[in-house]
Amino acid sequence: MTNALIFLITTFSNLFCIALFLRAWIFWRRISPFNNPYCTFIYQITDFIVVPVRKIIPSSKYLDFPSLLIAYLVGLLQTVLNLLIASTGLFFTLAPFIPIYAVLVFFDNLLSLVLWLSLFYAVMSWISPISPLQNFLRTLIEPILTPIRQMLPNPLKKGPFDFSLLFLMIIIIALQMILKSAYKINIPL
């Protein structure tokens, strides 16, 4: 029963964090939510909490601080709930480290989002390269792929395949492994 509850809490909090990260990413890329149904959807499912927080904490020119702050707080709440459900003794032992674990959850969710969007971008480029969803994904992913393409050796740049997406996925997986191994204590995140 506790494993199922931890799974549900983790899944829903991760999905909500992903929506908040997408909102911040859309804000950073300056994609108009009025012209794009994907942006409109992301804004609709996050407006209920981001709009009130934005009245207290404004966004900067490039960063949507309210969305990122809420994503961190959701990760913090996820960590607290999972620790409370898993074991009360574990919660009180690890209480001072909960904000650090929440940062781990924050970055893990962010890296997972980029990984899944990259994978979806690759699949959509094969299935439907001219779809509106592919254009939306391209707008999000290409600013990350451009510096990777510039660092690739010439034979890989001039080859018939774009290896930048593969290298991005390898980098993300390696970073996630580093994040998870940075904390040796096994707690349900």
Side-chain angles (χ1 to χ4, degrees):
M1 178 70 178
T2 59
N3 287 341
L5 192 56
I6 289 172
F7 169 77
L8 288 173
I9 291 170
T10 302
T11 301
F12 286 118
S13 65
N14 288 353
L15 288 174
F16 191 62
C17 282
I18 285 172
L20 291 164
F21 285 133
L22 271 173
R23 183 182 179 115
W25 202 346
I26 290 166
F27 182 88
W28 172 64
R29 292 292 301 138
R30 301 282 187 237
I31 303 171
S32 173
F34 305 109
N35 302 338
N36 191 313
Y38 309 108
C39 294
T40 304
F41 173 71
I42 295 298
Y43 272 64
Q44 285 175 348
I45 63 174
T46 57
D47 267 350
F48 79 95
I49 195 160
V50 174
V51 171
V53 172
R54 184 166 282 134
K55 292 177 183 174
I56 301 167
I57 302 169
S59 298
S60 73
K61 186 176 181 181
Y62 297 106
L63 290 176
D64 186 12
F65 288 119
S67 296
L68 296 174
L69 175 66
I70 296 166
Y72 172 76
L73 293 175
V74 168
L76 184 68
L77 181 63
Q78 171 191 339
T79 304
V80 167
L81 290 175
N82 286 350
L83 284 173
L84 282 173
I85 292 167
S87 168
T88 327
L90 188 62
F91 176 78
F92 292 113
T93 305
L94 297 175
F97 302 105
I98 289 175
I100 297 168
Y101 289 124
V103 170
L104 174 66
V105 170
F106 179 88
F107 284 112
D108 189 46
N109 285 338
L110 181 61
L111 290 171
S112 293
L113 170 67
V114 177
L115 180 68
W116 282 105
L117 284 179
S118 301
L119 185 63
F120 203 58
Y121 178 63
V123 171
M124 288 297 294
S125 70
W126 302 327
I127 295 173
S128 183
I130 58 171
S131 74
L133 179 59
Q134 181 66 7
N135 288 335
F136 174 68
L137 293 171
R138 184 177 299 116
T139 305
L140 294 176
I141 298 293
E142 283 299 325
I144 299 171
L145 294 178
T146 302
I148 294 172
R149 284 188 188 116
Q150 293 170 352
M151 291 187 290
L152 289 176
N154 280 336
L156 292 179
K157 285 181 191 176
K158 297 177 182 177
F161 303 106
D162 183 8
F163 288 100
S164 60
L165 201 55
L166 175 66
F167 281 102
L168 175 63
M169 290 181 192
I170 291 170
I171 291 167
I172 290 170
I173 292 169
L175 286 173
Q176 283 183 319
M177 291 171 77
I178 291 168
L179 276 176
K180 297 218 187 224
S181 69
Y183 299 95
K184 297 294 182 188
I185 300 170
N186 292 325
I187 63 166
L189 294 176

